[in-house]
Amino acid sequence: MQPVAAAVERLHALADSPTVRRIAERFAAAGHELALVGGPVRDAFLGRDAHDLDFASSASPDEILAVIAPLASAHWDIGRAFGTIGARLGELTVEITTYRSDVYDGATRKPVVAFGDSLEGDLLRRDFTVNALALRLPGKVLVDPSGGLEDLLAGRLRTPIEPEVSFGDDPLRMLRGARFTAQLGFTLGAATASAIQAMADRIDIVSAERVGEELTKLLLAPDPDSGLRVLVDTGLAERILPELPALRLEIDEHAHHKDVYEHSLTALRQAIALEGSRGHAPDLVLRLATLLHDIGKPATRRIEPGGAVSFHHHDVLGAKLATKRLRELRFDGETIKAVATLVRLHLRFFGYADAGWTDAAVRRYVRDAGDQLERLHILSRADVTTRNQRKAARLQQAYDELEERIAALAAEEELAAIRPDLDGEQIMAILGIAPGPEVGEAYRHLLELRLDEGPLAPADAEQRLRAWWSARQDPAG
């Protein structure tokens, strides 16, 4: 949080920038009110730069367009029905919206758009008080009808009106509350949290696409952990991602095992740290896979003789469950496939740590991971959350060794593009066969040889292929 004086100075500097000042002067000359609203004002107090600017105005959409069009290098009116005109001015993107005072029918989250007559009324219809701040232009007067500045200083999220009314109007605001805790590091006010808990089932009227979008923004935030805990603690996760609260498995004195929910959140924090230390930007696929990697455990939990707990094949089931959930949330196919691959493979490394691998096993690890290898490296490392420092050090050393072996083999054999030593055309020519299933079988046989033994010389590969084909043609011989 920036000191108030410094934040005000940042706001004034933004208002005095040539582009903003030009916009404000043009609106004033046309007899319209204009104010900088929402995120840019909030972010000035948080010390964050504003790249896109939102304005509210007393002008109608047609009047906004008449003022802004001569100033802009490009403009668009895709949001005209909602009172919004967008424009590009130099490097700056702006959206200017007519004051709103919408009415909701209670059955959907789509408002009956109604234009308002005051800035204060417009601000009170927004999601949270910290987003209901405005700076009137060109006079640079801060407008705060709901105590947003006080909430900013306290790091608190409250709704400008009664939360039951606000969330009843638009249930998506409940998810935005969880997301803002992750993005801004704020906490929910007590009344806000209670209202979400009481109204969690209202999220069911929100489209799966919008839920998926909010979950994506939350996971890509600096601290997804806090937002995910809000989802679970308020009951929202039961409606949109029930696999997450299901990880809170019962632990008793007869069946000791790690808290899978806390383990998953710890693994996510560690994956994010590794993501940064290895030079990667926030990675949605990695974060989804890490969060969901153990969701197969509740259904596979078994108490073994002696009281131990097992989760056999939870990796395979988890991949299926992750695929199903992400499809329901309308994630794209590429993301779903990548996440499922990582969940399915997340246990593979621990076999290496226990027994060591042959070169063939290392090749298969790389082959199976494909283009997800770097993410699998991070997930496998992040999955080690034991408090036993000796065990943690042993696993880290084992993975260091595995990565070194992968790098060495890759340098020798181009592991990233493992192919059989003969291609389909060569197989058909050598065996004198036409395209068909037998070519595929031969190809897979040669691929297994390649993985087991490394590259073969062409003559050796041909000899091995002919021997396989002969044995296949005469299995009794």
Side-chain angles (χ1 to χ4, degrees):
M1 181 69 185
Q2 290 273 293
V4 174
V8 171
E9 185 176 337
R10 286 170 62 90
L11 271 176
H12 284 193
L14 182 59
D16 287 333
S17 65
T19 300
V20 173
R21 186 166 54 195
R22 188 162 44 136
I23 295 171
E25 289 173 350
R26 292 294 183 94
F27 272 83
H32 307 305
E33 296 177 9
L34 184 73
L36 187 66
V37 296
V41 182
R42 177 200 69 209
D43 288 345
F45 287 93
L46 297 175
R48 299 170 15 150
D49 292 332
H51 301 289
D52 300 328
L53 300 183
D54 295 325
F55 297 88
S57 176
S58 60
S60 69
D62 288 340
E63 291 169 334
I64 292 172
L65 193 57
V67 173
I68 202 69
L71 303 177
S73 56
H75 58 81
W76 50 94
D77 63 356
I78 191 170
R80 179 192 286 264
F82 297 94
T84 300
I85 302 297
R88 185 78 177 168
L89 291 86
E91 296 298 314
L92 198 63
T93 298
V94 303
E95 286 192 347
I96 306 171
T97 302
T98 305
Y99 296 155
R100 299 261 297 270
S101 60
D102 300 337
V103 177
Y104 292 81
D105 62 12
T108 70
R109 59 173 297 268
K110 296 180 180 179
V112 177
V113 177
F115 297 136
D117 56 9
S118 73
L119 175 60
E120 288 80 3
D122 180 273
L123 294 174
L124 288 172
R125 54 167 288 278
R126 294 173 182 263
D127 53 6
F128 295 100
T129 62
V130 297
N131 295 327
L133 296 165
L135 188 71
R136 285 191 186 275
L137 301 173
K140 294 181 287 189
V141 176
L142 185 67
V143 181
D144 178 15
S146 58
L149 181 54
E150 182 180 344
D151 287 334
L152 269 175
L153 293 169
R156 177 175 58 227
L157 290 173
R158 288 190 308 112
T159 54
I161 58 177
E162 292 83 356
E164 293 80 7
V165 176
S166 181
F167 299 146
D169 285 346
D170 186 357
L172 186 66
R173 291 170 177 167
M174 297 187 289
L175 285 186
R176 287 170 62 85
R179 191 239 297 180
F180 283 132
T181 64
Q183 287 183 328
L184 304 178
F186 286 9
T187 58
L188 294 179
T192 304
S194 295
I196 295 175
Q197 193 168 18
M199 303 177 67
D201 62 337
R202 287 280 294 161
I203 203 66
D204 295 348
I205 72 170
V206 178
S207 70
E209 289 85 355
R210 294 306 303 273
V211 171
E213 289 171 7
E214 283 297 322
L215 184 59
T216 294
K217 292 174 182 177
L218 189 161
L219 283 172
L220 292 176
D223 180 24
D225 184 288
S226 61
L228 292 167
R229 290 183 188 277
V230 167
L231 293 182
V232 172
D233 293 345
T234 60
L236 283 172
E238 291 282 359
R239 318 297 302 190
I240 67 168
L241 192 64
E243 294 81 5
L244 183 58
L247 294 176
R248 296 180 295 183
L249 300 179
E250 179 182 354
I251 302 175
D252 59 47
E253 67 274 18
H254 304 296
H256 297 292
H257 60 82
K258 285 189 292 190
D259 182 328
V260 183
Y261 170 68
E262 291 295 339
H263 161 75
S264 298
L265 294 182
T266 299
L268 179 59
R269 290 194 299 272
Q270 294 184 167
I272 291 171
L274 286 166
E275 180 186 78
S277 67
R278 291 169 77 108
H280 303 300
D283 184 342
L284 178 63
V285 168
L286 173 65
R287 295 183 183 200
L288 279 168
T290 307
L291 180 65
L292 302 178
H293 76 281
D294 275 344
I295 60 172
K297 279 190 170 180
T300 58
R301 180 175 182 258
R302 298 290 182 271
I303 309 299
E304 304 292 351
V309 178
S310 67
F311 303 97
H312 296 307
H313 307 302
H314 76 269
D315 47 343
V316 177
L317 178 60
K320 293 178 180 177
L321 293 175
T323 297
K324 181 176 183 292
R325 178 57 53 197
L326 295 180
R327 281 177 178 163
E328 289 180 356
L329 291 173
R330 305 294 191 270
F331 281 87
D332 64 275
E334 185 177 341
T335 296
I336 295 171
K337 181 180 178 181
V339 170
T341 296
L342 291 166
V343 173
R344 178 171 50 81
L345 296 177
H346 82 271
L347 288 180
R348 185 76 65 87
F349 157 68
F350 293 96
Y352 178 91
D354 290 339
W357 284 351
T358 63
D359 284 352
V362 174
R363 293 186 190 102
R364 283 186 169 83
Y365 188 75
V366 173
R367 188 270 310 269
D368 292 347
D371 58 3
Q372 301 306 312
L373 182 61
E374 171 64 3
R375 287 171 170 147
L376 186 58
H377 288 333
I378 295 175
L379 172 56
S380 299
R381 288 179 179 275
D383 198 21
V384 178
T385 63
T386 177
R387 295 180 182 177
N388 183 323
Q389 294 301 311
R390 181 175 296 181
K391 181 179 180 182
R394 178 177 65 81
L395 290 170
Q396 179 176 330
Q397 182 178 358
Y399 211 98
D400 289 344
E401 178 188 330
L402 176 58
E403 285 205 61
E404 290 169 3
R405 289 184 62 188
I406 289 172
L409 285 171
E412 295 172 6
E413 304 177 13
E414 298 183 0
L415 282 185
I418 288 180
R419 298 288 187 276
D421 297 289
L422 302 173
D423 62 23
E425 294 292 335
Q426 292 170 309
I427 290 170
M428 289 187 288
I430 291 169
L431 300 181
I433 59 176
E438 292 172 328
V439 179
E441 292 178 31
Y443 187 93
R444 287 189 290 275
H445 173 70
L446 290 173
L447 178 58
E448 290 299 314
L449 287 178
R450 173 73 171 78
L451 291 167
D452 284 337
E453 302 178 22
L456 297 174
D460 292 337
E462 179 176 343
Q463 180 182 1
R464 300 289 289 273
L465 174 64
R466 290 185 183 279
W468 170 81
W469 181 251
S470 177
R472 185 181 181 281
Q473 297 299 108
D474 184 15

